[in-house]
Amino acid sequence: MNGGLLVARTLERHGVRFLFTLCGGHISPILVESKRLGLEVVDVRHEATAVFAADAVARLSGVPGVAAVTAGPGATNTITAVKNAQLAQSPLVLLGGATATVLDGRGSLQDIDQLALFRPHVKWLASARRVRDLVPALEEAFRVAASGVPGPVFLECPVDLLYDESVVREWYRTGSDGGSWRRRLQRLYLDLHLRRLFAGADGAGDAAEPPPPAAVREARRRQVARAAALLERAERPVLLVGSQATLEAARVERTAAAVERLGLPTYLSGMARGLLGRRHELHRRHQRRKALKESDLVILAGVPCDFRLDYGRQFGRTTRLVGANRSRRDLRLNRRPDLGILADPGRFLVALAEAVPPNGERWSEWHRVLRSRDEAREREIDSGAAEEGDGVNPLRLFRELD
């Protein structure tokens, strides 16, 4: 038993299929044991790529993506990708190698303060200090990454926690006798340190069970009823769906069905693009700003009022705003909604669709106006694609690709 195997078993128990990495000595036992258990270990050319790939797997599967990188430059190389996962609210577990516990802060190979580096960019971070701490720390990492507003977490795994005990003892060279009293005292200290390091390691993770699904906050019935009442009175409603509505990959089809049942003109953004398929009659693509300005009710499902909505200024003065978001901060960012619902936006849409009867026909004229604008814009693009000139016409290129 070694720490690398404990980590690999925990990854397997959480349904992880891919481990992205750039191979390094500090983390080799994790990679070796993961491969033995059947996980696909993908070795990339830059640590940022490993984290970007883990982020992509998380968005597509709903299971937190996992990357493992070596200490020092291996960890620092990930920062851009980690920050991207934080802003995208992607559940991601980053495992970082580190120097041996007894050498921490003493100038060993690639020894830097990694926790200080990652603290502003992750939801949670920790450094395991004993072999038996690896499993509970990794369990907590998965829980935090996927719960509430998802995001990246960082777990530092010192190298002497990952290798076989016999190998680590050889590094520490505690078996020789003799020497000065200082040498004997040093060996005594190292021996005590090793005992603490490996105490309880043999049974670590034995009682671990499959993890429960991450808790997801649901909209309250009273809030859903209020949203339904606002929708019943609306004449020009618009639905804007963002990435958060697709965080639960296993429920995306239910979310799409709910959007279809609601029958609202729908704009898709972020990871919600493609939610309704290629040519769905509800999906509007062009002149979103104008539609939001003219609408009397806008439902923001997992969309913050950031620069993409001109910090909340794209809505008309009399537009009623309903927002559903997992993040309290994003829910109120720049413009406070008339009805703010702190809950998963995908589940909110399902609940709202169940609370109102299908009434898309009520908004047939509003649909016609927005559809005609889309068609007019498509004709403009076609006209531009037909223009002749020097070099490649980019509109024609992408029309052909389409």
Side-chain angles (χ1 to χ4, degrees):
M1 176 64 67
N2 62 44
L5 180 57
L6 292 174
V7 170
R9 284 180 174 176
T10 307
L11 298 181
E12 181 186 45
R13 191 164 57 249
H14 279 266
V16 174
R17 295 172 53 202
F18 305 97
L19 175 60
F20 298 96
T21 188
L22 196 158
C23 189
H26 287 88
I27 55 168
S28 288
I30 296 176
L31 311 181
V32 170
E33 301 297 347
S34 294
K35 188 170 182 179
R36 283 180 183 168
L37 290 181
L39 277 69
E40 186 170 345
V41 179
V42 183
D43 200 14
V44 300
R45 292 174 181 263
H46 193 281
E47 288 85 358
T49 305
V51 176
F52 279 130
D55 182 349
V57 165
R59 298 190 200 195
L60 293 170
S61 70
V63 177
V66 183
V69 298
T70 198
T76 61
N77 279 347
T78 67
I79 288 297
T80 295
V82 169
K83 192 67 180 182
N84 188 74
Q86 182 191 48
L87 293 173
Q89 300 176 349
S90 293
L92 186 146
V93 176
L94 177 61
L95 303 173
T99 190
T101 53
V102 77
L103 298 176
D104 189 15
R106 299 184 63 194
S108 65
L109 176 68
Q110 298 174 190
D111 179 22
I112 63 172
D113 187 352
Q114 298 178 151
L115 299 186
L117 177 70
F118 282 99
R119 188 165 283 113
H121 313 298
V122 296
K123 286 184 68 180
W124 173 93
L125 78 171
S127 179
R129 308 315 291 174
R130 296 176 297 181
V131 176
R132 72 182 188 188
D133 294 339
L134 286 167
V135 173
L138 191 49
E139 294 282 357
E140 180 68 3
F142 273 97
R143 187 193 69 79
V144 174
S147 62
V149 179
V153 297
F154 176 67
L155 176 60
E156 187 177 70
C157 304
V159 64
D160 51 351
L161 272 58
L162 300 179
Y163 282 82
D164 292 340
E165 182 175 356
S166 59
V167 173
V168 176
R169 286 191 176 277
E170 180 62 25
W171 293 344
Y172 280 55
R173 297 183 182 278
T174 62
S176 57
D177 297 322
S180 67
W181 67 269
R182 282 194 174 91
R183 293 287 295 169
R184 291 196 297 271
L185 188 61
Q186 183 186 64
R187 284 196 297 271
L188 177 62
Y189 167 76
L190 291 175
D191 188 58
L192 291 173
H193 182 79
L194 283 166
R195 288 183 187 181
R196 181 179 181 277
L197 206 66
F198 289 97
D202 288 342
D206 286 352
E209 298 179 356
V216 179
R217 189 163 185 166
E218 304 265 6
R220 298 174 183 172
R221 290 183 181 179
R222 183 175 69 250
Q223 294 173 321
V224 175
R226 286 184 59 192
L230 289 171
L231 188 57
E232 285 290 329
R233 295 194 294 269
E235 298 295 332
R236 299 179 305 281
V238 168
L239 172 61
L240 182 53
V241 185
S243 298
Q244 259 197 18
T246 64
L247 284 173
E248 294 186 282
R251 293 176 58 95
V252 165
E253 289 186 6
R254 292 186 63 184
T255 302
V259 172
E260 192 168 39
R261 176 179 169 83
L262 286 169
L264 305 176
T266 301
Y267 292 88
L268 303 174
S269 65
M271 286 299 292
R273 292 190 179 101
L275 180 69
L276 296 177
R278 182 172 170 80
R279 299 292 183 194
H280 200 283
E281 60 182 9
L282 296 178
H283 185 195
R284 303 275 66 85
R285 293 170 174 80
H286 302 300
Q287 300 198 44
R288 185 180 75 177
R289 178 189 292 266
K290 191 172 183 180
L292 293 176
K293 208 73 171 177
E294 295 176 353
S295 65
D296 57 358
L297 174 68
V298 174
I299 299 176
L300 298 178
V303 181
C305 287
D306 58 12
F307 70 96
R308 290 164 289 192
L309 292 177
D310 196 18
Y311 310 99
R313 294 193 293 263
Q314 285 192 8
F315 313 112
R317 287 186 302 168
T318 60
T319 303
R320 304 296 298 274
L321 194 62
V322 174
N325 205 292
R326 291 193 183 199
S327 166
R328 189 182 301 275
R329 176 183 178 275
D330 286 352
L331 186 60
R332 302 175 178 179
L333 185 66
N334 294 313
R335 174 158 173 170
R336 186 185 293 267
D338 298 280
L339 173 59
I341 301 170
L342 189 63
D344 177 76
R347 296 194 178 209
F348 161 70
L349 289 175
V350 172
L352 181 62
E354 293 173 350
V356 297
N359 53 9
E361 292 301 318
R362 271 190 52 207
W363 306 303
S364 57
E365 178 58 23
W366 178 230
H367 275 291
R368 187 195 65 76
V369 170
L370 299 183
R371 189 183 306 112
S372 65
R373 291 177 185 171
D374 268 19
E375 292 169 352
R377 178 59 183 146
E378 291 294 330
R379 287 193 295 271
E380 288 180 9
I381 296 172
D382 286 336
S383 177
E387 292 178 2
E388 298 293 341
D390 296 333
V392 175
N393 180 330
L395 290 177
R396 181 183 300 174
L397 170 64
F398 286 109
R399 273 292 195 235
E400 292 295 331
L401 289 173
D402 193 40

